Amino acid sequence: MRVLAIESSCDESAAAVLDTTAGLMAHELYSQVELHRAYGGVVPELASRDHVRRLLPLVKAALARAGTRPADLSGIAYTAGPGLIGALLTGASLAASLAYAWTLPAIGVHHLEGHLLAPLLEKDPPPFPHVALLVSGGHTQLIEVAAIGSYHLLGETRDDAAGEAFDKSAKLLGLPYPGGPQLADIARHGTPGACTLPRPMLDRPGLEFSFSGLKTAVLHAVRAAPLAEQRRADIARGVEEAIADTLTAKAVRALEYTGLDVLVVSGGVSANRTLRERLDAAVRAHGARAYYPRLEFCTDNAAMIAVAGLARLEAGQRGGLAIEARAQWPLASLPQLAA
Ligand code: KG4
Ligand code: ZN
């Protein structure tokens, strides 16, 4: 089977072609970061309008790069949620229109299932069952993954997501949007231990997270002394270490709790180097192994949507021509794949 995939849930427009035997044949991406920078965050209406401009050329480019004609395709996968409703609608309507014009099945994909399955694109993919740590701008979840389509939520954040904690701390440090990667950049020059920030909920049992207190602590640290370059780097390092340590401790706890020895880490924050180093060390000490997507597939992309879409098409699932878009969509409500 060969699938064309379209992603438009937030501020990345993307298209990809994935084939059961040939693997990933093409993936194209346009990031709207510059468009939103002046506003310090994603402006939903601007995002939708830009997706309308970008998506069709990206689809054409992906098909051309993959040397694929519509007749070679078995279906079209698109992100149906969760995400910004207007942005989702642009990709969903394009996918449904192409499916109608080319008489192909269309399938609406859950964005987080895409993130969870992104490491399957690597040469050495993670085995099932495993524990997944999903850390993106909107979500921080630990999930027990028995198989593709079988997701059991072990714990999640009670307030801010890890990516949000990075972005809000970055804003307090005066860094431009999107703050996470920028904060990680300056944290490299920070002195370890110079600024110690709280590791929320580490002292409590369970697999829940809470990151909203971190930004208050960052605000106090920012106000405590003039924000010279070194001080800024020290605080950035403190933020990165607090988030990495919290995620690492809870991920290991989830491995202990489930008795599993494979951890999959995905979502935008899984691109963070300090997090990867700490997770690798802790997971190895536990006798387990961690798997990640390649860096470009940590953040939003269409290749991961293609993986999830292809798995569901192969399992016989089909969407109709209805344009599916859901701003909110619990992962646990996804239909299971037949064994
Ligand atoms: O998965 P993603 O692209 O979008 C969502 O589905 O939310 O994740 C974006 C998030 C943002 O909060 C961004 O700041 C964060 O991932 N991020 C990082 C890094 N790269 C992206 N945070 C820390 N370090 C990074 N290197
Ligand atoms: Zn995402």
Side-chain angles (χ1 to χ4, degrees):
M1 287 190 120
R2 187 173 296 179
V3 68
L4 165 71
I6 295 170
E7 155 67 31
S8 70
S9 64
C10 190
D11 59 344
E12 247 87 41
S13 320
V17 178
L18 179 69
D19 182 278
T20 314
T21 43
L24 187 61
M25 302 177 76
H27 60 100
E28 302 286 327
L29 183 134
Y30 177 84
S31 171
Q32 304 179 356
V33 158
E34 294 303 327
L35 176 70
H36 301 288
R37 183 162 281 145
Y39 306 96
V42 178
V43 183
E45 183 56 23
L46 292 183
S48 310
R49 291 179 195 202
D50 212 33
H51 285 308
V52 170
R53 279 189 287 269
R54 307 290 172 188
L55 282 176
L56 198 50
L58 287 166
V59 164
K60 283 186 179 162
L63 290 175
R65 196 179 294 267
T68 291
R69 296 160 302 150
D72 304 325
L73 292 170
S74 325
I76 302 180
Y78 63 94
T79 306
L84 301 172
I85 194 69
L88 288 166
L89 279 168
T90 64
S93 7
L94 175 59
S97 311
L98 293 178
Y100 177 69
W102 296 340
T103 45
L104 289 168
I107 180 127
V109 167
H110 195 293
H111 182 78
L112 299 185
E113 181 169 60
H115 276 302
L116 287 175
L117 302 183
L120 297 184
L121 288 161
E122 302 311 311
K123 278 203 192 72
D124 180 20
F128 295 90
H130 56 243
V131 169
L133 171 65
L134 180 69
V135 273
S136 70
H139 296 83
T140 298
Q141 299 185 332
L142 278 161
I143 301 161
E144 186 173 354
V145 183
I148 297 181
S150 174
Y151 309 112
H152 171 63
L153 184 65
L154 297 168
E156 64 184 331
T157 183
R158 293 185 173 178
D159 39 58
D160 291 351
E164 216 174 337
F166 267 110
D167 295 342
K168 287 179 176 172
S169 302
K171 205 168 193 169
L172 291 170
L173 288 170
L175 297 169
Y177 165 86
Q182 309 249 4
L183 184 146
D185 253 5
I186 65 164
R188 284 186 293 137
H189 308 293
T191 313
C195 171
T196 308
L197 295 166
R199 274 109 175 105
M201 298 188 66
L202 261 199
D203 49 341
R204 287 193 228 164
L207 298 171
E208 310 252 277
F209 303 92
S210 165
F211 288 109
S212 67
L214 190 60
K215 60 177 185 288
T216 316
V218 173
L219 185 63
H220 288 309
V222 164
R223 286 184 178 160
L227 208 53
E229 202 174 323
Q230 187 57 43
R231 173 80 185 146
R232 191 192 296 243
D234 290 346
I235 298 174
R237 188 163 183 128
V239 170
E240 198 180 45
E241 290 183 340
I243 295 175
D245 283 351
T246 308
L247 293 174
T248 301
K250 296 275 162 124
V252 170
R253 201 178 283 178
L255 291 174
E256 278 164 4
Y257 176 74
T258 56
L260 295 171
D261 60 0
V262 178
L263 178 73
V264 164
V265 194
S266 57
V269 178
S270 68
N272 186 272
R273 223 172 36 174
T274 303
L275 175 64
R276 286 189 178 210
E277 284 167 10
R278 294 197 177 191
L279 276 171
D280 281 337
V283 165
R284 213 178 303 121
H286 188 72
R289 193 179 150 191
Y291 292 78
Y292 308 85
R294 73 191 79 161
L295 287 182
E296 63 181 324
F297 295 156
C298 288
T299 44
D300 291 349
N301 64 86
M304 68 184 197
I305 302 306
V307 178
L310 190 59
R312 290 193 172 271
L313 286 170
E314 279 177 339
Q317 281 184 26
R318 300 285 182 273
L321 289 175
I323 296 165
E324 280 181 63
R326 299 183 188 90
Q328 302 204 0
W329 188 7
L331 192 60
S333 70
L334 284 185
Q336 301 254 329
L337 297 194

